[in-house]
Amino acid sequence: MPDEQRDGAAMTQRTDSFTHDGLRFDVRDSGPLDGTPVVLLHGFPQNSRSWDGVAAHLHDAGFRTLVPTQRGYSPDARPRRIRDYRASALVGDVLALLDAAELPNAHVAGHDWGAVVAWHLAAGHPDRVRSLTAVSVPHPAAMARSWTNPRQALSSWYMLAFQIPRLPELALSRPALARKVLVRTGQAPREAERDAELLSDRDVVRGAVNWYRAMMLSSPRALTAKVRVPTTMVWSDGDAAIDATGPERTARYVDAPYRFVTLRGLSHWIPDEGPGVLASLIAETVTSAGR
């Protein structure tokens, strides 16, 4: 029986799954049921487990976390078509989660591709997002402009490689190779083993890579839309995928209280590597926006 809490006639239940576009998504709904809700969105090539450390700290601070395993990764949400991974579909998934949990809005944090979804969600649906914490990946327009910097262009080589049909799936579904690639980006061996095992399923790799293949299907207006909710941009100076250029340019695309935090000595994998400090930054953003 799901946990529940009564407030007069009101009843709140745990949300362990939801549906959208005929797909079924797994959700990990944890922490105090009456706590302020925070949605945590994972990136490539991970699932909801990447937020375990951060979520534990947030629970200790009194927050409820809802962590979906996103499109392409959830076992019953792996469409084959590239167009099914366009930004509007990914945002729709999060809106469906909020609806399933009967939440009019929530605080949102996203890492890597999860940050991209969070940026689009906050820009297009500010009524559903109380605050945004973007981890590693800057605003889409700032990211696009950063590719004029040779360092960022060089770091983004894999985005072009992922456009090649079938070969990325063939390569990344080999656990030893996937593990080696992840460790070279700065990921710790234990977490690299975890994520390489996830990628051993060819269907997961196809869905994960299709996020990159669908990049060009977003509308120009959606890419440049400003965010008008309280926002924190968190970047780490050891990030092998994201140069400082994009994060430093992100402020111009936020028309709300904003701060930019650089974490020293951490790699791209901030939720795994610095869960305590990231949880504190999320909590500070939530508190400043009004819990």
Side-chain angles (χ1 to χ4, degrees), residues 217-241:
L217 301 182
S218 298
S219 70
R221 177 176 295 182
L223 288 173
T224 59
K226 285 192 173 185
V227 167
R228 292 181 169 83
V229 303
T231 298
T232 297
M233 172 75 232
V234 183
W235 176 76
S236 48
D237 64 0
D239 196 315

Side-chain angles (χ1 to χ4, degrees), residues 42-287:
H42 69 81
F44 170 91
Q46 302 184 303
N47 59 20
S48 63
R49 306 299 308 193
S50 67
W51 284 103
D52 281 358
V54 175
H57 286 282
L58 290 174
H59 300 159
D60 289 344
F63 296 99
R64 174 189 180 188
T65 62
L66 295 100
V67 194
T69 292
Q70 297 202 79
R71 183 175 293 229
Y73 298 88
S74 267
D76 298 315
R78 296 174 182 171
R80 298 182 66 91
R81 299 181 304 178
I82 292 173
R83 74 183 209 179
D84 289 328
Y85 294 87
R86 64 197 186 281
S88 59
L90 304 172
V91 167
D93 295 341
V94 185
L95 294 174
L97 165 60
L98 295 177
D99 291 343
E102 299 183 352
L103 294 172
N105 51 47
H107 300 274
V108 179
H111 172 246
D112 189 78
W113 265 107
V116 178
V117 177
W119 283 115
H120 283 287
L121 175 68
H125 302 273
D127 57 316
R128 307 301 301 271
V129 179
R130 296 173 65 181
S131 74
L132 166 63
T133 304
V135 187
S136 299
V137 175
H139 186 282
M143 186 67 195
R145 289 180 177 273
S146 74
W147 287 329
T148 61
N149 183 315
R151 288 179 299 177
Q152 182 58 68
L154 184 61
S155 297
S156 300
W157 67 269
Y158 63 95
M159 296 185 184
L160 294 176
F162 284 171
Q163 306 307 311
I164 301 171
R166 293 187 294 276
L167 286 181
E169 288 92 331
L170 180 63
L172 291 175
S173 61
R174 298 169 58 189
L177 178 58
R179 184 168 55 250
K180 181 178 180 180
V181 169
L182 292 169
V183 169
R184 288 185 64 181
T185 67
Q187 193 172 34
R190 184 177 65 178
E191 282 73 34
E193 185 73 30
R194 176 198 66 197
D195 295 339
E197 181 180 356
L198 178 66
L199 290 173
S200 64
D201 187 326
R202 189 75 62 85
D203 289 339
V204 172
V205 182
R206 183 187 62 241
V209 173
N210 277 346
W211 284 57
Y212 291 90
R213 293 170 177 157
M215 286 189 302
M216 300 305 174
L217 301 182
S218 298
S219 70
R221 177 176 295 182
L223 288 173
T224 59
K226 285 192 173 185
V227 167
R228 292 181 169 83
V229 303
T231 298
T232 297
M233 172 75 232
V234 183
W235 176 76
S236 48
D237 64 0
D239 196 315
I242 306 295
D243 180 75
T245 308
E248 289 173 350
R249 292 178 176 177
T250 288
R252 68 187 70 179
Y253 300 103
V254 180
D255 188 12
Y258 174 79
R259 65 172 174 165
F260 173 39
V261 178
T262 298
L263 300 180
R264 305 293 178 185
L266 297 185
S267 74
H268 176 76
W269 310 97
I270 296 173
D272 282 322
E273 215 171 317
V277 66
L278 180 54
S280 293
L281 291 171
I282 294 171
E284 289 168 9
T285 303
V286 169
T287 301

